[in-house]
C-alpha cells in the first residue's frame, strides 16, 4: 500500500493556520512583525546553508542517505517555511497566488526554447569592469 505524503493532504492555508495557532497560543504575535520575520527567514536559511558549507556535491549526496543529516535539513527547511507562512499571514500575502504569478513571470523571462538545460545564455552575462578580463 502506498502512503500519501502529508504534502498531498494539507493546503498552504491549513499549514498557515497551524503555524498561526502555535504563535497565538504562546502570545508571540508581538514578535511576528514583517522585519523580524524577514530576518528570521535569513537566519534559518543560513543555518540550512551551513549544513552544505565546504562539502562537495558528492559528499552531500552521500550525507543525504544518513538519517541524522537529513533530519537536520528537514528541520531547517521547516523553520524557513514556518517563518514564510507567518510572514504571509501578517502581511496578507496569498502565497499560492504569488507563486503562480512568479512562475508565469519567469516563464516569460526564461522561455523554454532559449533556456532549456541552461542556467544562462552565453553572452548575456553582464560583468562589472572589475571582473572583465583584459
Amino acid at each position: 500500500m502506498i502512503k500519501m505524503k502529508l504534502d498531498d493532504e494539507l493546503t498552504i492555508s491549513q499549514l498557515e493556520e497551524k503555524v498561526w495557532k502555535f504563535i497565538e497560543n504562546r502570545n508571540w504575535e508581538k514578535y511576528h512583525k514583517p522585519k523580524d520575520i524577514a530576518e528570521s527567514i535569513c537566519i534559518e536559511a543560513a543555518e540550512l546553508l551551513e549544513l552544505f558549507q565546504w562539502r562537495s556535491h558528492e559528499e552531500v549526496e552521500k550525507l543525504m542517505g544518513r538519517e541524522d543529516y537529513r533530519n537536520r535539513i528537514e528541520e531547517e527547511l521547516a523553520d524557513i517555511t514556518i517563518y514564510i507562512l507567518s510572514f504571509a499571514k501578517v502581511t496578507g500575502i496569498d502565497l499560492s497566488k504569488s507563486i503562480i504569478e512568479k512562475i508565469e513571470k519567469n516563464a516569460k523571462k526564461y522561455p523554454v526554447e532559449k533556456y532549456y538545460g541552461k542556467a544562462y545564455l552565453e553572452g548575456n552575462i553582464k560583468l562589472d569592469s572589475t571582473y572583465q578580463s583584459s
Side-chain angles (χ1 to χ4, degrees):
M1 182 171 155
I2 299 173
K3 184 179 178 206
M4 286 185 67
K5 291 182 357 182
L6 202 50
D7 282 349
D8 295 332
E9 298 175 19
L10 289 174
T11 67
I12 291 174
S13 293
Q14 289 170 318
L15 285 172
E16 191 177 280
E17 188 57 37
K18 283 187 172 295
V19 167
W20 200 249
K21 273 282 188 227
F22 181 89
I23 292 164
E24 284 180 329
N25 288 341
R26 287 151 183 81
N27 193 28
W28 288 351
E29 301 93 332
K30 59 190 167 209
Y31 305 116
H32 284 254
K33 303 298 182 206
K35 177 197 76 73
D36 302 308
I37 302 169
E39 290 172 345
S40 296
I41 291 168
C42 291
I43 292 164
E44 295 300 337
E47 290 178 14
L48 174 64
L49 186 57
E50 187 176 30
L51 296 172
F52 297 91
Q53 187 177 23
W54 314 122
R55 294 187 166 103
S56 69
H57 293 290
E58 294 78 19
E59 289 172 311
V60 169
E61 191 173 322
K62 187 176 179 181
L63 284 168
M64 288 300 290
R66 285 182 33 192
E67 189 176 349
D68 59 336
Y69 185 77
R70 189 172 187 86
N71 286 343
R72 293 273 317 277
I73 290 172
E74 288 175 1
E75 287 178 7
E76 296 307 337
L77 195 56
D79 286 339
I80 295 163
T81 305
I82 287 166
Y83 282 123
I84 289 170
L85 292 168
S86 175
F87 190 94
K89 174 79 171 174
V90 300
T91 59
I93 291 172
D94 181 333
L95 272 178
S96 295
K97 178 178 175 280
S98 298
I99 290 167
I100 295 300
E101 287 176 354
K102 183 62 175 175
I103 291 170
E104 289 170 354
K105 183 177 181 180
N106 285 345
K108 290 176 186 167
K109 186 175 180 181
Y110 305 106
V112 172
E113 56 277 359
K114 279 184 162 181
Y115 287 88
Y116 185 80
K118 300 175 186 172
Y120 60 89
L121 293 181
E122 295 296 325
N124 271 9
I125 300 176
K126 295 181 175 77
L127 298 175
D128 179 299
S129 61
T130 309
Y131 299 106
Q132 292 178 353
S133 59
S134 40

